[in-house]
Amino acid sequence: MTRKNKEPLGVLFRNKREEKGLLVRQVAAVIDVDQAIISRIENGDRLPTREQAIKLAGLYGLKQDIVLADWLTEKMVKDYGDDPLAPDALMEAHNRISLRLSEKRGKGKS
């Protein structure tokens, strides 16, 4: 559920905006944010919020689940990427989340 091209989301969003011939101000108006926020997202100076990522995915015709998975990945790397314990902690989090989701699926079958 990830993109093949691993460019940052901001670059993806800028490329999609340019492909559609939209101006930064037009995108900002559609998702109801200041133009500076769109510029900062596209330049990699900030991540969009989850809500903004969803709106941008919809505007650009991107699959929401793929964009959100990439958004969450970028958020984790931004927040924890410099911590030497992060790889082990993220692996354990992966295991716990997988178990939790598996248990939820199991409860839904009964």
Side-chain angles (χ1 to χ4, degrees):
M1 181 192 334
T2 59
R3 290 181 291 127
K4 292 177 184 167
N5 185 350
K6 289 300 179 180
E7 67 202 351
L9 273 178
V11 172
L12 173 67
F13 290 150
R14 180 178 51 235
N15 290 341
K16 291 296 182 182
R17 177 181 58 77
E18 290 173 350
E19 282 176 20
K20 291 191 172 283
L22 297 171
L23 301 173
V24 170
R25 66 178 164 75
Q26 293 172 308
V27 172
V30 169
I31 69 164
D32 196 29
V33 297
D34 189 84
Q35 293 180 57
I37 291 175
I38 300 299
S39 292
R40 293 183 69 212
I41 289 168
E42 290 185 355
N43 291 327
D45 296 330
R46 69 165 280 173
L47 282 174
T49 64
R50 183 183 186 96
E51 180 180 315
Q52 291 164 351
I54 291 168
K55 288 179 179 180
L56 289 166
L59 178 63
Y60 298 137
L62 300 167
K63 291 187 178 190
Q64 181 177 312
D65 58 343
I66 293 174
V67 168
L68 287 179
D70 286 348
W71 171 82
L72 191 54
T73 299
E74 286 190 27
K75 184 169 177 50
M76 288 187 287
V77 170
K78 178 182 176 284
D79 291 348
Y80 307 110
D82 293 332
D83 190 316
L85 299 174
D88 290 335
L90 290 171
M91 186 63 79
E92 182 58 24
H94 167 79
N95 294 337
R96 290 182 191 187
I97 291 168
S98 295
L99 178 61
R100 183 183 215 170
L101 293 174
S102 176
E103 289 172 350
K104 282 186 175 186
R105 281 191 292 269
K107 288 180 183 177
K109 292 181 181 178
S110 43

